[in-house]
Amino acid sequence: MAGTGWQCAFEVADVFEWLDAGKLRPGDAVIASLFLHHFDQAGVRRLFAASAQTGAAFFCAEPRRWKPALWGSRCFRWLGFSPVTCNDAV
């Protein structure tokens, strides 16, 4: 990040406790991968609302929540994926 003026920080915390602690500031960007699928719709809305209130950006890479993806994820065991991956995919 040298030369950009950006700073990078990794947080290991409960995301809702972290948000409630006021750690997110205007201009911050949160980047997450394979994270949001662990939450129900209410949890996802809460995360997005918190970032919207501060003016922070939220970027993530997630599987699409739709029936064909669910059906496809149930076939992973036949493709040789590990039991953990098969469970997480669903």
Side-chain angles (χ1 to χ4, degrees):
M1 301 274 181
T4 65
W6 293 0
Q7 295 177 352
C8 182
F10 295 92
E11 297 288 340
V12 179
D14 177 277
V15 68
F16 296 112
E17 289 175 9
W18 181 76
L19 289 168
D20 291 342
K23 303 272 183 158
L24 197 56
R25 298 178 316 271
D28 283 352
V30 177
I31 302 171
S33 179
L34 300 176
F35 176 70
L36 296 181
H37 68 276
H38 293 283
F39 301 100
D40 60 12
Q41 291 294 355
V44 172
R45 284 189 192 104
R46 184 175 172 197
L47 288 170
F48 287 162
S51 63
Q53 284 178 337
T54 61
F58 199 106
F59 301 96
C60 58
E62 286 294 317
R64 184 172 179 185
R65 292 184 182 191
W66 64 318
K67 288 193 189 252
L70 177 61
W71 297 329
S73 68
R74 296 199 186 276
C75 299
F76 280 9
R77 64 185 172 111
W78 294 306
L79 296 173
F81 287 89
S82 75
V84 172
T85 301
C86 292
N87 181 68
D88 284 352
V90 173

